[in-house]
């Protein structure tokens, strides 16, 4: 098991470029970089650029992961670069990205069903509660599109891994895997996003562990309030996630899994507003999660209630306190380092083989 960093969330990634980001990650003690999409490496899929990144990663002994785009046709217009790389043909755009990845032995590829809309509040921050198209229709359209990608993936020997993103539940991802085939579709386990869907991290890990092939590791802040809860991502070890339980489950099925840390980026002077508001008590929100069992939701509430008590007692900083503090380059780097140390300590305690030895 190796520990790396998300290529979009590591500070100064745009300034340094892909090769510079690899060097930066290595200097921080990271063992790999997960670029969110291959277009982050080269918007034009320039083979010379991708080759340079591949070779530099190999020179530094870093794992190299990447991804594609959204695979929900209702959300694809938000990423026009995908259609553009296919000269107007979206499916061709995906094929070209997949071929570029396979050519340089990048075979575990991130995909997602939508993107968060932080300008809105409550349930409308995700596409799950769109009023112009039902979530069921979006999932069916996603399934159909994945079936179009299936033969391409099989031909190239790659896996398309759906992230446990803010809008989708682990139950729904598992059904998509069953429909399309686990020989093509896997999971990117984001340990923070699942809280937005009311899922308990340990319950979720036990459900999806056999299919997890990539990760986004982050912690979570969930504070109960009168009409719901506030959610924020936190660095590993500072929130609600029991990473020992999560890693124990994941290691059963994939000892060579890469753990990619996803931390907040420097604010660059911006003032943060209200955290993500979860409408946990709203009848529409509740009805929108039919798979969530009473047992798991009760465990989720117990976890959130205990954490809320710690906030009230002052043993955990509130989101208001955190927003009042500086969070620039030094603080972002410290969060990455703290996350790395936390995961390393757990691996040591659980006897999980670290580094390239796990891949031998």
């Amino acid at each position: 098991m190796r520990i790396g960093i998300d290529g979009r969330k590591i500070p100064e990634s745009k300034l340094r470029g892909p090769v510079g980001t690899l060097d930066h990650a290595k200097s921080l003690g990271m063992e790999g970089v997960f670029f969110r999409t291959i277009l982050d490496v080269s918007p034009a899929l320039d083979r010379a650029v991708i080759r340079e990144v591949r070779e530099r990663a190999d020179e530094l002994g870093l794992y190299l992961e990447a991804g594609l785009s959204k695979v929900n046709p209702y959300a694809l217009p938000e990423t026009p670069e995908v259609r553009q790389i296919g000269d107007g043909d979206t499916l061709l755009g995906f094929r070209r990205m997949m071929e570029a990845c396979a050519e340089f032995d990048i075979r575990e590829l991130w995909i997602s069903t939508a993107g968060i809309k932080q300008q809105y509040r409550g349930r409308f921050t995700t596409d799950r509660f769109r009023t112009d198209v039902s979530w069921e229709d979006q999932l069916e359209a996603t399934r159909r599109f994945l079936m179009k990608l299936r033969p391409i993936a099989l031909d190239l020997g790659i896996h398309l891994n759906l992230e446990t993103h803010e809008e989708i539940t682990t139950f729904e991802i598992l059904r998509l895997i069953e429909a399309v085939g686990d020989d093509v579709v896997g999971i990117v386990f984001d340990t923070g996003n699942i809280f937005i869907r009311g899922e308990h991290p340990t319950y979720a890990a036990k459900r999806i562990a056999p299919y997890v092939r990539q990760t986004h590791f982050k912690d979570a802040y969930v504070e109960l309030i009168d009409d719901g809860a506030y959610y924020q991502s936190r660095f590993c070890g500072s929130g609600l996630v029991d990473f020992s339980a999560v890693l124990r489950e994941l290691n059963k099925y994939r000892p060579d899994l890469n753990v990619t840390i996803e931390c907040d980026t420097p604010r660059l002077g911006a003032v943060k507003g209200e955290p993500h508001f979860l409408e946990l008590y709203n009848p529409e929100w509740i009805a929108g999660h039919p798979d969530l069992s009473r047992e798991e939701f009760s465990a989720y509430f117990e976890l959130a209630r205990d954490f809320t008590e710690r906030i009230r007692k002052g043993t955990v900083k509130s989101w208001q306190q955190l927003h009042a503090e500086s969070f620039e380059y030094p603080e972002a780097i410290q969060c990455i380092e703290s996350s790395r140390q936390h995961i390393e300590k757990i691996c040591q305690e659980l006897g999980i083989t670290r580094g390239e030895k796990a891949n031998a």
Side-chain angles (χ1 to χ4, degrees), residues 19-177:
V19 172
T21 293
L22 293 174
D23 291 332
H24 192 199
K26 183 69 174 181
S27 74
L28 297 176
M30 296 293 106
E31 297 167 301
V33 175
F34 178 169
F35 290 100
R36 191 66 57 88
T37 87
I38 193 62
L39 298 180
D40 288 350
V41 176
S42 173
L45 298 180
D46 186 319
R47 296 307 200 265
V49 172
I50 301 173
R51 180 177 294 105
E52 182 184 12
V53 172
R54 170 84 268 178
E55 290 176 351
R56 186 58 178 158
D58 292 345
E59 289 169 3
L60 296 171
L62 300 176
Y63 71 76
L64 180 62
E65 293 185 349
L68 301 174
S69 178
K70 301 176 179 68
V71 289
N72 173 358
Y74 289 97
L76 268 169
E78 297 170 9
T79 52
E81 64 274 12
V82 175
R83 188 171 178 179
Q84 182 177 349
I85 205 69
D87 296 319
D89 183 333
T90 300
L91 188 61
L92 179 59
F94 270 87
R95 176 184 284 278
R96 286 175 174 173
M97 289 189 291
M98 293 162 73
E99 287 174 344
C101 289
E103 185 176 336
F104 295 98
D105 201 27
I106 306 170
R107 299 187 182 275
E108 300 294 341
L109 302 180
W110 168 93
I111 54 175
S112 77
T113 45
I116 195 164
K117 280 74 180 175
Q118 294 178 326
Q119 67 270 37
Y120 307 125
R121 191 174 191 267
R123 64 189 184 280
F124 293 120
T125 56
T126 73
D127 284 10
R128 186 181 192 86
F129 291 98
R130 282 174 64 165
T131 56
D132 57 333
V133 58
S134 72
W135 181 238
E136 291 74 19
D137 285 348
Q138 293 179 65
L139 288 174
E140 174 56 20
T142 299
R143 183 197 65 79
R144 290 198 302 267
F145 188 64
L146 285 172
M147 289 302 293
K148 292 183 178 182
L149 296 178
R150 175 180 166 82
I152 306 172
L154 287 173
D155 182 55
L156 295 171
I158 60 179
H159 248 88
L160 308 174
N161 301 319
L162 276 163
E163 181 180 350
T164 55
H165 214 248
E166 291 96 345
E167 68 283 341
I168 193 168
T169 69
T170 57
F171 303 97
E172 291 157 348
I173 292 177
L174 288 174
R175 284 196 286 271
L176 284 169
I177 291 173

Side-chain angles (χ1 to χ4, degrees), residues 273-344:
E274 181 187 49
H276 192 124
F277 171 56
L278 307 179
E279 298 184 69
L280 299 179
Y281 312 133
N282 184 308
E284 289 188 44
W285 189 95
I286 295 169
H289 297 81
D291 294 305
L292 200 56
S293 70
R294 182 176 297 180
E295 177 191 354
E296 182 169 356
F297 205 32
S298 296
Y300 175 99
F301 260 91
E302 184 177 351
L303 202 61
R305 186 181 65 245
D306 291 346
F307 193 75
T308 301
E309 279 298 310
R310 291 166 60 194
I311 297 169
R312 301 288 181 266
K313 291 176 180 178
T315 57
V316 172
K317 289 182 180 179
S318 69
W319 66 266
Q320 294 95 331
Q321 289 174 302
L322 287 170
H323 286 193
E325 296 176 354
S326 173
F327 194 86
E328 301 302 339
Y329 182 86
E331 291 80 15
I333 295 300
Q334 183 56 55
C335 284
I336 293 170
E337 175 59 18
S338 296
S339 294
R340 183 184 65 80
Q341 290 179 1
H342 185 68
I343 300 304
E344 282 192 340

